[in-house]
Amino acid sequence: MSAMTDAAVGMGRSLVGARRAPAGGDMRAESDAPQPQWRLAVRAFGRDKWAVVSLGVLVLVALAAVFAPLLTPYSPVAGDPVNRLAGIGTDGHLLGLDGQGRDIWTRLLYGGRNSLTVAVVPVLVVFPLALMIGLFAGYRRSRAGETLMRILDVLFAFPLVLLAIALSAVLGAGLGNVMLAIGITLVPYMARVAYTATVQESSKDYIEAARAYGANPVLLMFRELMPNVVVQLLVYATTLCGLMIVVASGLSFLGVGVIPPTPDWGIMTADGKNVLLEGIYHVATIPGLLILVVSLAFNLVGDGIRDALDPRKQTN
């Protein structure tokens, strides 16, 4: 049956396995040999300068958060009340101090651990679950699958942010509860993308030819259909990480996220809003700008991945 499946899917390969002949008139065997798909994708990604820069920003932020104890001598929770609200460039405090005299640079580094964790971990956990739901409901098109998707569609009646706030309020504040609330919120969105991609791929010629040839449905779904669905879901998941940075920070800002005095970018922004009317802007502005930059970086990396996995742009 495996041989029959291979013969069937050979009539039309997926985007992941697609190959194009090199442009130009070079007829040498070495030039004509197809290059590995991952190499073409890496080259295409490298041509997108904004995506490369954004990836570098994310790597630097992640490394800074991991190695925070090596980059600052201060505690993220202990403050110096005497020098509270000291401005940018204060001796020994590059980015100044907040309202409780805590070093802002230090809290940004340690806060990055929580902010990135809350944004990325739920997406990674939900990814395989949403993929399986989308494949099951979109490929078999059974009554059970359609019923499952209709149930998930009910959650679309609630805006993502509002649903996350409601779940966080019910579950209570805290890092674990926030990740759980965000994870539940993400399931219908990611499952819908996986479902739509599965339906679109299932109607293509290479799948229809394999079905007509009698290919094993399970092997066909996991070996040929799933890689194409994963590509589309991966792009969406990357951009979702950027959105979740904003959502998680917003939850902390509203007091239903990470519990103070634990450092978090949303909490830092909330602390800074109390002194804005006093003309002290750096306490709220610095973490707010960092949230913006990291969120934008995730989105640009997602766009770069999408283009890199497009065979039409790999040969341009």
Side-chain angles (χ1 to χ4, degrees), residues 86-278:
I88 296 175
T90 300
D91 187 26
H93 303 281
L94 179 64
L95 299 180
L97 303 173
D98 65 7
Q100 298 185 35
R102 297 170 299 193
D103 183 67
I104 293 179
W105 167 251
T106 301
R107 288 183 62 78
L108 286 177
L109 293 176
Y110 283 92
R113 295 179 173 184
N114 294 320
S115 296
L116 292 177
T117 298
V118 171
V120 175
V121 170
V123 175
L124 293 178
V125 172
V126 173
F127 189 100
L129 174 62
L131 177 62
M132 290 298 103
I133 292 175
L135 283 173
F136 171 75
Y139 182 67
R140 302 302 296 269
R141 304 300 293 273
S142 63
R143 179 174 298 181
E146 291 299 319
T147 301
L148 178 59
M149 292 307 301
R150 297 295 80 78
I151 293 174
L152 292 178
D153 285 345
V154 173
L155 297 178
F156 281 102
F158 307 94
L160 185 149
V161 176
L162 180 61
L163 183 59
I165 293 174
L167 290 173
S168 295
V170 171
L171 295 173
L175 184 63
N177 288 340
V178 171
M179 289 193 291
L180 179 58
I182 291 177
I184 295 174
T185 304
L186 289 177
V187 171
Y189 290 89
M190 297 183 70
R192 171 56 62 179
V193 171
Y195 172 81
T196 303
T198 300
V199 171
Q200 292 175 346
E201 289 294 324
S202 297
S203 63
K204 292 186 176 180
D205 292 341
Y206 75 98
I207 296 294
E208 294 295 338
R211 285 172 174 168
Y213 198 78
N216 185 308
V218 176
L219 291 178
L220 181 61
M221 181 174 67
F222 285 103
R223 292 181 56 182
E224 298 300 326
L225 185 60
M226 188 173 70
N228 290 303
V229 177
V230 167
V231 167
Q232 300 183 47
L233 188 59
L234 176 62
V235 174
Y236 182 64
T238 306
T239 58
L240 271 183
C241 289
L243 176 60
M244 291 307 104
I245 286 282
V246 178
V247 172
S249 298
L251 294 176
S252 296
F253 183 91
L254 295 174
V256 292
V258 178
I259 302 175
T262 304
D264 177 84
W265 296 342
I267 292 176
M268 295 177 66
T269 307
D271 291 341
K273 72 178 177 59
N274 299 323
V275 295
L276 284 176
L277 295 180
E278 301 177 20

Side-chain angles (χ1 to χ4, degrees), residues 30-82:
E30 182 179 352
S31 299
D32 291 339
Q35 299 185 39
Q37 188 70 16
W38 66 267
R39 183 174 298 176
L40 294 174
V42 170
R43 288 181 179 178
F45 186 86
R47 289 194 292 267
D48 189 338
K49 298 300 186 289
W50 283 109
V52 173
V53 171
S54 299
L55 180 60
V57 169
L58 294 179
V59 171
L60 287 177
V61 171
L63 290 177
V66 171
F67 296 104
L70 302 179
L71 299 176
T72 177
Y74 302 108
S75 167
V77 295
D80 180 11
V82 176

Side-chain angles (χ1 to χ4, degrees), residues 272 275-286:
V275 295
L276 284 176
L277 295 180
E278 301 177 20
I280 302 174
Y281 304 109
H282 69 283
V283 180
T285 302
I286 294 175

